[in-house]
Amino acid sequence: KQEVTQIPAALSVPEGENLVLNCSFTDSAIYNLQWFRQDPGKGLTSLLLIQSSQREQTSGRLNASLDKSSGRSTLYIAASQPGDSATYLCAVSTRPGNGNQFYFGTGTSLTVIP
Amino acid sequence: EPEVTQTPSHQVTQMGQEVILRCVPISNHLYFYWYRQILGQKVEFLVSFYNNEISEKSEIFDDQFSVERPDGSNFTLKIRSTKLEDSAMYFCASSLGTDTQYFGPGTRLTVL
């Protein structure tokens, strides 16, 4: 069974700092990987999706990379802002077909201090 | 921008009662999902639904759970006889293909 781990569990940084969140998974035969943010008591907002054939994806100040062979992904956030404070979740799916079953990590809780 | 909606936002029920959680996926999406998140734990996959049938389900999705797409817009999750351990946030998601999944805001289910 696919296991997804995220390190660190919590991170606190001053505003303006660049930061990296880490995600690792045990089964490298993934179909795609998706990064989400979750605000307290709220749903999940999709940030970036990386297909297994891709190495990275960028959206604004966010850059996600994927190294399938080593079972790792990173989410890079540039010039962090207080509004970036949230829990960031990594999820991987292991097979295509009629619907992807995503396996989630426990998340990294990010606090950006003004 | 289209979004997934869920009702109710919070449902309180007595143990043993049936509950139905409702979702309206994004209109042109073809794949539908239910996930749950017990407080303080990981988001867990329950079931995926495509072409009017279940395509995958997890070991959590036992006989007390069922899903239905009763019309062209709604997607429901029914729990027949709720247990205390069913208390969780339930998320509905949809996708156009086997790619980006868009999540609703969730329904918090509290079983007393």
Side-chain angles (χ1 to χ4, degrees):
Chain A
K1 183 185 170 183
Q2 180 75 269
E3 293 290 338
V4 181
T5 305
Q6 292 186 245
I7 295 173
L11 182 63
S12 183
V13 299
E15 182 177 2
E17 195 162 294
N18 302 325
L19 57 102
V20 175
L21 308 181
N22 297 291
C23 172
S24 60
F25 44 93
T26 53
D27 185 349
S28 62
I30 67 169
Y31 180 61
N32 58 37
L33 182 148
Q34 192 164 351
W35 281 93
F36 297 87
R37 70 173 277 168
Q38 184 175 28
D39 294 281
K42 301 288 178 62
L44 282 64
T45 302
S46 176
L47 297 173
L48 289 164
L49 176 93
I50 309 179
Q51 300 287 358
S52 62
S53 58
Q54 298 174 320
R55 297 287 298 211
E56 65 179 310
Q57 281 287 332
T58 298
S59 176
R61 294 183 293 109
L62 305 180
N63 176 276
S65 67
L66 174 63
D67 184 343
K68 245 181 46 167
S69 60
S70 66
R72 294 176 192 274
S73 175
T74 61
L75 179 67
Y76 175 83
I77 303 177
S80 58
Q81 303 170 357
D84 295 331
S85 298
T87 296
Y88 289 80
L89 301 176
C90 165
V92 299
S93 67
T94 52
R95 53 180 169 167
N98 295 334
N100 275 341
Q101 176 177 342
F102 270 112
Y103 294 89
F104 280 80
T106 47
T108 294
S109 176
L110 173 66
T111 302
V112 180
I113 304 165
Chain B
E1 185 176 326
E3 58 184 19
V4 177
T5 60
Q6 292 186 242
T7 55
S9 57
H10 190 191
Q11 173 91 47
V12 180
T13 190
Q14 296 289 328
M15 190 170 55
Q17 295 296 304
E18 174 183 286
V19 295
I20 297 176
L21 310 183
R22 303 181 191 279
C23 168
V24 179
I26 294 173
S27 62
N28 63 335
H29 283 187
L30 301 175
Y31 297 83
F32 313 110
Y33 313 85
W34 284 101
Y35 292 82
R36 78 172 186 189
Q37 185 177 32
I38 296 170
L39 189 63
Q41 298 187 22
K42 292 184 180 185
V43 176
E44 301 173 290
F45 169 80
L46 294 178
V47 66
S48 60
F49 192 86
Y50 170 74
N51 200 26
N52 284 320
E53 61 182 21
I54 291 173
S55 49
E56 289 183 53
K57 61 182 181 178
S58 70
E59 59 272 14
I60 301 168
F61 194 87
D62 60 23
D63 291 345
Q64 72 162 343
F65 290 92
S66 62
V67 289
E68 193 177 37
R69 188 155 163 81
D71 52 41
S73 60
N74 290 284
F75 180 50
T76 62
L77 174 69
K78 181 192 290 187
I79 309 175
R80 280 186 241 292
S81 178
T82 50
K83 305 172 191 169
L84 294 176
E85 55 265 36
D86 293 328
S87 294
M89 183 75 92
Y90 288 80
F91 294 108
C92 173
S94 69
S95 63
L96 181 58
T98 54
D99 49 16
T100 302
Q101 292 185 17
Y102 295 89
F103 281 67
T107 292
R108 179 166 298 285
L109 177 65
T110 302
V111 182
L112 302 177

